[in-house]
Amino acid sequence: MLSADILLVLPLLIPVFSASIAVLFYKSNVAQRWTGVVGAIALCIAGILLFMEVRESGILVTYLGNWPAPFGITLVADHLAATMLVLTGILTLAVAVYSLGAVGEREEHFGYYPLTHVMVMGVCGSFLTGDLFNLFVWFEVMLIASFVLLVLGGRKIQLDGAFKYVLMNVVASTILLAGVSILYGITGSLNMADIAHRIHDIGEPGLVTVIAILFIIAFGMKAALFPLFFWLPASYHVPNIAVSAIFAGLLTKVGAYVMIRVFTLIFTEDIAWTHEIILWLSVLTMFIGVLGAVSQFEWRKILSIHIISQIGYMTLGLALYTPMALAGAVLYVAHNIIIKANLFLAAGIGHHLMGSYELKKLGGLYKYFPIFAAFNLLSAFSLAGVPPLWGFWAKFTVIFSAFQAERWIPAAFAIFVGLLTLYSMMKIWMYAFWKKHPEGDVPEHIQKKKVPLTMMIPVAALTLMTIAIGLFAEPVIEIAMTAAEELLEPERYIHAVLEAAP
Amino acid sequence: MMRSLILQTFTRLLVTLMLLFSLFLLWRGHNLPGGGFIGALVASAAFALHAIAFGVASARSILRYDPRTLMAWGMIFAGAAGLFGLAAGKPYMTGLWLEIHIGESLLKLGTPLIFDIGVFLTVIGMVVAVIFSLEEEEF
C-alpha cells in the first residue's frame, strides 16, 4: 500500500501533470483529449486508493516540505474529504468522456482540457488542505480556471455571465481573505487544526462570532446561499454544457464542503447563534431557489437555479448539527455532485438532438429516444428524492433529522421544496420528452439522429450509479455516518494533525 | 514596434544584460532576495523590450520555444521537484540538498532550485504570452 505522503499529493499531482502535458501538446486536439481521459482515470484511481486507506487507518495527514504542523502546509484527508475526492474523480472522468463528443474544436484549441485539469486541481486542493490561507489559494486556482472556462467561445452572453460571476467571486474572496486575516490576527495560526485547538482559549467569543459571520458571507457567496446567489443563475447556463456540468457538480459543492468543514471544526463556540443563522438562510435558500425555477422555461436555467435550492438542504443538515443531520448533509453533497452534473449532461444530449434548450421548442424526445428519456427521468426523480433512488436517502436523512430535532418549520419547508423540485423536473419531462414537437411530429432529420456513445455512456453510468446506491444504500449511509461522527468530534482531526507532526 | 536606431542599438546590449541578470536572480534566490519569479519578470521584460524594438516575430524567434511550451515545462519541473522528497521516503516537496566542495568554497545544489527553475519557466511563458498577444492584437 502507498504511504499517506504519496496518497495525499496524488490528487493534486495528477491534474497538474495532465494540465502540463495537455499544454505541451497544444497543437494536437487528439493528444489533449487523451490526456483528458487518461488524467481523469488516474484521478479516479487515486481517489479510490486514498478512500480505501482512510477507511482502513482513519484520518491521513502529510506535511508538505516536511515542515511540522502549525508552520507548514498540511494536507488532511478524513472520511468527508476522501469521499469528495472519489466523487470528483468519477465526475471528472464522466465529463472527460462526454467532452469527446460535446466540446468543439475551437474550445479545445483555446485550452478547454488544460483548464479543466487546473480547475479540478483547485477543487481537490480545497478538499484536502488543512490550512486556511492555502484554502484561499486553492479557491483562486479553481476560480481563475473557471473564469476562462466560462468565456471559452467568446459569445456575448458568456461575457455578460462571466462578468457577474467574476465580480461576485472576487468580492467573496476578499471577504474570505479578511476573515482569514482576522482569525490569524487573534489566534496566530493558519492551520485549521491549530486554530480549532486555540480558539476556545482566546476568550473573545464576540470577535470569533464576527469572523464566523464573515465566513458565512464568503462561503455563502461561493456556495450560492440566500441572499447571495444571484450570480449563479446569471452565469451557469452560458458556457459549453460540459463546462456547465462540471461547474454544477463541483464548484458550489466546494463552498458547501468548506462550510461544513469550518463550522464543525473551528466555529463551534456559539452554535446557538451561528448555526441558527445558517438554518434560516438554508430554509430561504431552498425555498427561493425552487420558486425561481418554477418560472423558467429554459432547460439549463431550470437546472442551474435548482442548484441553489439543493445547496439549502446541505447547509440545513449542517445547521441542525446532529450526527444524523450531518450524515444527511454529506449524503446530499455527494448525491448532488453526481446527479446535478448528470442532469446537465442529459440536457446537453437533448440539445445535441434538438438544437435548443428552450422547452417550448422541444418535444417528442420520448417517442424516438426512449432509453435516453428513461435515464433522464431516473436522474430527475433522484434529484427530487423519489424512493428508492439515492436522492431519496439523502433527502430523507436531512428531513428526518429535522423532525428529530423538533424543527417543524424547516422540515415542512424541506418537504414542500421537494415537491416543487418534482414539479420542475416534471415540467422538463412534459415539455421536452412527453408533449408533441411544436412542428407536429419530430422532424425527420432529428428522428434519424443517434445519441453519440461518448455522450450516452457517462449519462448512463452516472444514472446507474444513482440507482445502485439507492438500492444498496446501507454501506453508503454507513460511510456518511462515519464521516459525520468524525466531523462532530473535531478532537480526532486536531489530534491527527498536531500530535503526529514530525 | 517602433523603428528607432537608438532603441534598437541599446536593446541589443540591454537584452543580453537583462537575461544574464535574470539568471543571476534565479540563482541567488533561495537565500537572498531574488528567485524564480523575480528572475522571470526581468527576463520577460528583456523579451518585451526586444519585441518593442524589433517586432514580435523577431522576439518569438529569439525565444525559440513557444511560450506555451515553456509554461508546460515549467509546471512539470515545479511539480517534479517535489517528487525527490517522496522518492526519499519523506513528504512531498521536502528539500534535499547536494553539497559539493570545490576547493575552499561550498556549492549547495538542491531540489528547491529545480522548483525555482520551474517557476522561472512558467512565469516567463505566461508573461511573454500575454505581452506578445497584446502586441499582435490588431485594432
Side-chain angles (χ1 to χ4, degrees):
Chain A
M1 204 61 213
L2 296 167
S3 74
D5 291 338
I6 298 176
L7 283 173
L8 279 163
V9 290
L10 274 184
L12 306 176
L13 283 182
I14 290 167
V16 81
F17 283 122
S18 320
S20 317
I21 293 168
V23 175
L24 213 50
F25 293 103
Y26 62 89
K27 279 182 190 145
S28 154
N29 286 348
V30 180
Q32 291 202 36
R33 287 177 206 149
W34 274 105
T35 56
V37 176
V38 174
I41 293 175
L43 185 66
C44 220
I45 296 173
I48 292 170
L49 286 178
L50 177 69
F51 180 74
M52 279 162 36
E53 185 64 23
V54 169
R55 290 290 285 165
E56 206 164 288
S57 43
I59 298 173
L60 299 180
V61 186
T62 184
Y63 306 92
L64 291 183
N66 217 9
W67 297 101
F71 308 111
I73 291 169
T74 40
L75 298 182
V76 191
D78 57 357
H79 270 80
L80 176 61
T83 315
M84 293 298 125
L85 280 174
V86 173
L87 295 166
T88 308
I90 294 172
L91 181 62
T92 315
L93 180 57
V95 174
V97 174
Y98 187 89
S99 308
L100 299 177
V103 176
E105 287 197 359
R106 198 176 137 76
E107 282 147 331
E108 284 177 336
H109 181 70
F110 281 103
Y112 168 76
Y113 287 104
L115 286 165
T116 349
H117 293 305
V118 172
M119 198 184 86
V120 169
M121 175 172 73
V123 171
C124 292
S126 314
F127 287 148
L128 280 176
T129 187
D131 183 283
L132 272 181
F133 187 75
N134 196 233
L135 176 73
F136 168 77
V137 174
W138 287 123
F139 263 70
E140 292 304 298
V141 170
M142 184 171 87
L143 290 171
I144 287 169
S146 67
F147 295 157
V148 189
L149 281 172
L150 206 55
V151 292
L152 270 189
R155 286 174 301 127
K156 203 173 168 193
I157 179 176
Q158 286 184 299
L159 295 175
D160 180 58
F163 178 70
K164 290 163 190 157
Y165 180 84
V166 170
L167 197 68
M168 283 306 285
N169 275 295
V170 169
V171 172
S173 294
T174 316
I175 295 174
L176 172 61
L177 193 58
V180 172
S181 320
I182 303 173
L183 202 54
Y184 182 55
I186 63 165
T187 60
S189 181
L190 288 167
N191 185 294
M192 293 202 255
D194 197 37
I195 294 174
H197 175 63
R198 289 163 183 232
I199 200 157
H200 301 294
D201 308 328
I202 298 286
E204 294 208 50
L207 191 53
V208 172
T209 312
V210 171
I211 301 170
I213 300 297
L214 279 180
F215 274 85
I216 292 183
I217 296 173
F219 294 150
M221 274 192 201
K222 307 261 180 201
L225 275 186
F226 175 85
L228 302 164
F229 58 73
F230 46 84
W231 56 273
L232 194 148
S235 62
Y236 268 32
H237 64 285
V238 297
N240 186 299
I241 193 77
V243 176
S244 292
I246 203 161
F247 276 26
L250 291 176
L251 292 191
T252 44
K253 275 51 167 200
V254 177
Y257 165 86
V258 286
M259 203 145 176
I260 294 177
R261 170 71 67 218
V262 168
F263 281 92
T264 54
L265 183 64
I266 298 176
F267 301 112
T268 51
E269 184 101 334
D270 197 0
I271 288 174
W273 167 242
T274 51
H275 289 53
E276 192 71 13
I277 292 179
I278 299 178
L279 180 81
W280 293 105
L281 285 180
S282 318
V283 172
L284 285 168
T285 309
M286 279 193 292
F287 191 57
I288 306 234
V290 88
L291 283 189
V294 168
S295 62
Q296 291 292 336
F297 283 90
E298 212 258 24
W299 200 336
R300 291 173 301 176
K301 274 195 181 169
I302 296 179
L303 293 178
S304 54
I305 297 180
H306 263 289
I307 298 175
I308 300 167
S309 85
Q310 308 294 327
I311 292 285
Y313 283 95
M314 299 165 200
T315 47
L316 177 62
L318 166 67
L320 292 168
Y321 207 65
T322 61
M324 193 164 180
L326 272 171
V330 174
L331 269 178
Y332 216 103
V333 179
H335 161 256
N336 224 254
I337 288 180
I338 297 297
I339 211 66
K340 200 81 228 185
N342 197 23
L343 282 167
F344 268 95
L345 296 180
I349 295 183
H351 177 261
H352 177 83
L353 295 170
M354 294 282 190
S356 176
Y357 289 110
E358 288 296 334
L359 288 183
K360 286 182 177 151
K361 292 184 187 162
L362 298 170
L365 274 170
Y366 173 67
K367 192 170 172 191
Y368 294 100
F369 307 97
I371 303 175
F372 162 56
F375 283 133
N376 183 69
L377 185 68
L378 285 167
S379 305
F381 272 161
S382 185
L383 184 80
V386 174
L389 298 158
W390 187 4
F392 164 72
W393 299 106
K395 205 162 269 185
F396 174 76
T397 329
V398 173
I399 296 174
F400 186 72
S401 47
F403 276 120
Q404 264 187 339
E406 302 188 353
R407 294 297 201 148
W408 313 115
I409 298 174
F413 267 101
I415 294 172
F416 184 56
V417 170
L419 284 177
L420 285 178
T421 311
L422 191 61
Y423 163 74
S424 277
M425 293 298 118
M426 280 304 100
K427 188 165 73 184
I428 294 179
W429 172 256
M430 298 295 277
Y431 274 87
F433 292 89
W434 203 249
K435 84 165 165 49
K436 276 197 174 145
H437 195 269
E439 292 171 26
D441 202 8
V442 176
E444 253 185 56
H445 70 278
I446 296 179
Q447 288 180 23
K448 284 191 196 126
K449 272 192 187 171
K450 284 215 171 74
V451 184
L453 271 186
T454 48
M455 292 167 92
M456 199 61 202
I457 290 173
V459 173
L462 294 182
T463 313
L464 291 177
M465 186 177 159
T466 335
I467 300 172
I469 292 181
L471 293 177
F472 306 100
E474 181 81 33
V476 178
I477 291 177
E478 196 267 319
I479 292 168
M481 285 304 286
T482 323
E485 278 161 26
E486 263 177 7
L487 289 174
L488 284 175
E489 287 175 36
E491 300 78 30
R492 276 156 76 179
Y493 184 99
I494 297 168
H495 181 83
V497 174
L498 293 182
E499 302 299 312
Chain B
M1 127 178 214
M2 37 197 290
R3 295 189 185 283
S4 146
L5 184 63
I6 301 171
L7 182 65
Q8 291 189 343
T9 315
F10 267 92
T11 299
R12 283 203 185 89
L13 285 171
L14 275 177
V15 164
T16 325
L17 275 177
M18 285 165 89
L19 287 177
L20 278 175
F21 184 60
S22 82
L23 287 179
F24 169 71
L25 283 176
L26 165 69
W27 175 250
R28 79 203 287 261
H30 190 66
N31 295 321
L32 295 161
F37 195 91
I38 312 294
L41 289 181
V42 174
S44 324
F47 288 112
L49 185 61
H50 189 93
I52 293 169
F54 296 98
V56 174
S58 166
R60 274 192 196 277
S61 79
I62 65 160
L63 188 61
R64 297 191 61 163
Y65 298 100
D66 190 281
R68 279 172 284 191
T69 315
L70 289 182
M71 244 190 280
W73 278 113
M75 288 207 287
I76 292 175
F77 265 85
L83 293 177
F84 291 95
L86 281 184
K90 297 210 167 95
Y92 185 70
M93 285 281 174
T94 305
L96 297 176
W97 294 91
L98 189 69
E99 298 190 352
I100 305 169
H101 294 274
I102 309 169
E104 297 274 300
S105 57
L106 171 70
L107 180 65
K108 278 178 97 178
L109 290 177
T111 51
L113 183 64
I114 304 177
F115 182 81
D116 251 359
I117 293 173
V119 173
F120 186 78
L121 291 176
T122 311
V123 174
I124 289 191
M126 186 71 213
V127 176
V128 165
V130 170
I131 291 172
F132 283 2
S133 38
L134 284 177
E135 281 275 301
E136 280 166 341
E137 183 93 333
E138 286 180 18
F139 294 100

